[in-house]
Amino acid sequence: MPDPVPDLRDHTTLRLGGPGREWVRATTEAELIAAVSEADVVGTPVLLLAGGSNLVVADAGFDGRVVQVATTGISADVDSSGDPSCSGATVTIAAGEGWDDVVAEAVERRWVGIEALSGIPGSVGATPIQNVGAYGQEVAQTIARVRVWDRKLNGVRTFAASECQFGYRSSRFKADPGRHVVLDVTFQFRQGTLGAPVRYAELARTLGVDEGARAPLADVRSAVLDLRRGKGMVLDADDHDTWSAGSFFTNPFLTADQAAALPADAPRWEQPDGTVKSSAGWLIEHAGFDKGWTSRAAGERVSLSTKHTLALTNRGGATTDELLTLAREVRDGVESRFGVRLVNEPVTVGCAL
């Protein structure tokens, strides 16, 4: 039987969203597949929920079955033959495991490659969908395969990393929303005491190393956590700057003409496909939206973070409608100023930007 239905605001990092019609907590893979399959048979919409860190849920809630992914388990096959610094580990992790807990364990067990992804909220199962990334690392760099329940074919499938179509904050799973329920993710890590080469200038400066150099795993994790805390990006119930969905807009990829039309000091990173990546945070701030910015239309219960212009925050007692009003003002303001239309990163449920 479905469990009693709580409000989604109690299960999302934005602390927004009304109730679901049904609520099922799945603690095993079999329960997860059954909860989704049963709903599909009778045509009940399904919302998969784990950490709730990438969701903007309507005030009216979700008119369907909320399936809370609470599966656990970490299985590691470690090859420690030969030089320990060159050995590897193949690690399969259940979708419901907390992501930052996994990063902490990886650092402790000397699994190299996700240390710069410390402090990111959410679950393991969500990471391949968004191709989660930060501070020069992406999960695509260490994912070996993703095992899913395919709701269209009604069966379990396994995708090798090369089949996942990973891109910037994208994957085949995000491109075909709702079809695949991630069951577990297998990572291939090198093993050692030093992290992967540091590919992010701010992190390199914090660690006191050159870009491309390596630093101890624990030092990388500590530095990333400090940087994220300084931007309100590590969850803290007492800090309203963390009542957010993280970065609300993705960095835009522009045509050469669009990039050329930006001010001379706007960030530009040329891409192999001929596009030019710019900084959503820079565009927001230079369109006149400072840290802590709010508006008369949205109200004072929502604002940009006081630490980071990319995060939209709930200052307490806010509604989803208020947050979306603020998001639209920022998006439209950037488009009016620079001709660039920003795209939201969080998934909207029962509402739209």
Side-chain angles (χ1 to χ4, degrees):
M1 291 292 292
D3 301 327
V5 181
D7 279 345
L8 282 153
R9 66 173 51 90
D10 297 324
H11 294 270
T12 61
T13 56
L14 267 167
R15 304 187 183 212
L16 297 175
R21 179 168 18 119
E22 301 175 3
W23 191 287
V24 178
R25 186 171 188 269
T27 60
T28 68
E29 181 178 298
E31 290 175 352
L32 176 56
I33 292 172
V36 173
S37 300
E38 291 166 3
D40 287 345
V41 167
V42 296
T44 299
V46 172
L47 172 62
L48 295 171
L49 174 74
S53 60
N54 201 48
L55 292 178
V56 180
V57 182
D59 295 313
F62 178 69
D63 188 19
R65 173 174 287 190
V66 178
V67 179
Q68 186 177 10
V69 182
T71 55
T72 58
I74 299 177
S75 174
D77 181 9
V78 179
D79 174 14
S80 57
S81 60
D83 183 353
S85 65
C86 297
S87 62
T90 302
V91 184
T92 299
I93 308 172
E97 289 281 356
W99 174 251
D100 193 52
D101 293 336
V102 167
V103 177
E105 182 163 349
V107 169
E108 181 178 347
R109 297 179 67 169
R110 301 188 301 122
W111 298 336
V112 178
I114 57 174
E115 57 281 350
L117 303 179
S118 294
I120 296 176
S123 68
V124 167
T127 60
I129 297 172
Q130 289 286 112
N131 185 19
V132 166
Y135 294 101
Q137 286 183 353
E138 293 179 333
V139 291
Q141 295 166 340
T142 50
I143 286 178
R145 55 187 178 269
V146 180
R147 198 165 63 92
V148 305
W149 172 258
D150 187 324
R151 295 170 66 187
K152 184 175 181 179
L153 299 180
N154 290 314
V156 174
R157 300 178 68 187
T158 299
F159 294 98
S162 60
E163 299 173 304
C164 292
Q165 300 171 13
F166 287 127
Y168 171 69
R169 303 298 177 269
S170 66
S171 68
R172 74 179 300 155
F173 313 114
K174 186 174 181 179
D176 194 0
R179 175 171 176 171
H180 302 103
V181 180
V182 177
L183 302 175
D184 58 46
V185 183
T186 299
F187 296 84
Q188 185 68 54
F189 298 122
R190 288 187 301 102
Q191 201 166 18
T193 58
L194 297 178
V198 178
R199 303 296 185 189
Y200 198 83
E202 183 184 26
L203 178 57
R205 289 194 299 269
T206 301
L207 288 164
V209 301
D210 294 330
E211 283 190 64
R214 300 170 68 189
L217 283 167
D219 291 355
V220 176
R221 174 168 169 78
S222 178
V224 168
L225 288 173
D226 285 345
L227 287 170
R228 290 183 66 87
R229 286 191 190 97
K231 299 173 183 178
M233 293 292 189
V234 175
L235 296 181
D236 181 347
D238 296 326
D239 182 358
H240 283 275
D241 280 335
T242 74
W243 292 28
S244 77
S247 296
F248 198 88
F249 296 104
T250 58
N251 289 324
F253 286 76
L254 311 175
T255 65
D257 288 343
Q258 285 178 310
L262 294 178
D265 58 340
R268 295 173 175 83
W269 299 282
E270 293 184 1
Q271 303 297 303
D273 63 358
T275 62
V276 180
K277 181 180 175 182
S278 191
S279 164
W282 189 96
L283 295 171
I284 290 169
E285 191 163 350
H286 287 77
F289 303 101
D290 296 326
K291 296 171 186 176
W293 189 86
T294 188
S295 76
R296 184 174 301 171
E300 296 183 353
R301 297 191 298 186
V302 292
S303 78
L304 296 186
S305 167
T306 66
K307 303 180 181 73
H308 194 294
T309 56
L310 261 182
L312 276 64
T313 67
N314 174 1
R315 310 314 293 185
T319 66
T320 301
D321 283 345
E322 290 170 340
L323 184 91
L324 291 176
T325 297
L326 179 68
R328 293 183 191 109
E329 289 193 54
V330 172
R331 179 199 63 191
D332 295 347
V334 168
E335 185 171 22
S336 176
R337 174 67 178 82
F338 297 113
V340 175
R341 190 172 181 85
L342 297 179
V343 176
N344 52 291
E345 183 170 341
V347 175
T348 54
V349 178
C351 56
L353 184 58

